[in-house]
Amino acid sequence: MSDAFIPFHRPSIGSREQEAVRKVLESGWLTTGEQTRRFEKRFARFVGVRHAVALNSATAALHLAMDALGVDEGDEVVLPTYTFAASAEVALYFRARPVLVDIDESTMNVAPDAVERAITARTKVIEVVHFGGLPADLPAIERVRKKRSGRGSEGPPYLIEDAAHAFPSRIDSMDGRYAGTIGAANAFSFYATKTLTTGEGGMLVTDDDRIADRARLMRLHGISHDAWRRYARGGSWYYEIEEAGFKDNPTDIASALGLAQLSRANRLRAARARIARRYVDELNDLADGGRLRLPKAGNADEHAWHLFVIRLVVDRSRDIDRALPGVVGLPGALQPLATARARVIEALSAAGIGTSVHFIPLHLHPLYRRLGYAAGDFPAAERAYAGAISLPIWPGMTDRQISRVVRAVRSAIGA
């Protein structure tokens, strides 16, 4: 690939993936079928759970998790404001209330003490987002969850893990279990930018038979038999509609791609970790000098490195001479930082480096302002957002490309 432009992301697709998809196309069966069954079984075995239910997105996995746990109108779902739209919007599908909380600025994951303060008698779910691939502090959150009764006599709130960023990362403090396997029901993403991709796709995982059965029923219109069982040799045309379900099933094309990617998952994670180490080694002097904040690394295989987010540190007293994207909606004290961030992104783009920003905190968006949130509500999330820039990190990056990114960052911040 030419060094003229280094994209923010490029999927790692090789001959194994291409051959797997070709076989499905030639098989004559494209929708949910045998490849999906195999993908579910192998994924469940890989992460060490009883059930994996393949879906067309992680959003669907979060939705079906809340459905299976009985989230309903008036319930509350506690989650960090520093996340993508899907994490909170699924609560709104049930007319439940997303209760947004602040983050731990050092990890960019949800702050356990903020979760504890947010739990009320109406809390049905605590939804933990593992930001960037680094597992959140689940031991602390589990202690909070178990000692706070959010649902009266029913017991503590349920835990759902939004592990969209976190495959495959382990939690050393929980006997090396994979992030995304601790909660009652949990969601993984196979979106195009993820370590394991099916283009679009997701997986709900659980050890609870009831949750798995409910998710399998609801992912395809609430009918008693899917198409593969009806149309396969010896299948029956008869089915019954048991619930008003959804259209969340994956294709066998996607599942075949997922199977091929799964066989390479640890190598793909290791490739991302190699890039992260290079970035840390070559930018650490800027962190030591107070110019940048680098992402916190886990131990060994504890970090999936879905994202590598640097955060600018600037003199916030500087005047702003022009408005740039990222300034609107933030408190005035953070506007110089957001302006500096926008200028660095412009400089990186001019140098041929693709970047992104993860994420605009939910409470700054119009939807959540209408729900009563406002700028200033979550200072740690706002500070993190104002200076955040996500650098390219994908398995096929060459040493030359990594060096180009580093040089461009140093030049853009004047170092």
Side-chain angles (χ1 to χ4, degrees), residues 177-259:
R177 291 179 65 179
Y178 279 101
T181 66
I182 308 300
N186 313 291
F188 290 93
S189 172
F190 307 137
Y191 181 65
T193 59
K194 300 302 192 294
T195 300
L196 186 162
T197 183
T198 61
E200 297 277 0
M203 191 79 77
L204 181 153
V205 304
T206 182
D207 286 322
D208 189 310
D209 296 349
R210 182 194 63 80
I211 292 173
D213 289 344
R214 174 74 178 181
R216 291 189 179 104
L217 174 69
M218 297 300 285
R219 75 173 168 183
L220 190 62
H221 304 299
I223 63 176
S224 58
H225 293 85
D226 62 26
W228 183 59
R229 290 170 178 163
R230 297 200 307 276
Y231 299 144
R233 183 189 295 269
S236 170
W237 57 268
Y238 184 78
Y239 64 91
E240 293 180 339
I241 301 171
E242 298 180 10
E243 296 282 354
F246 312 103
K247 186 68 172 70
D248 291 338
N249 62 303
T251 67
D252 258 17
I253 299 170
S255 294
L257 181 56
L259 275 165

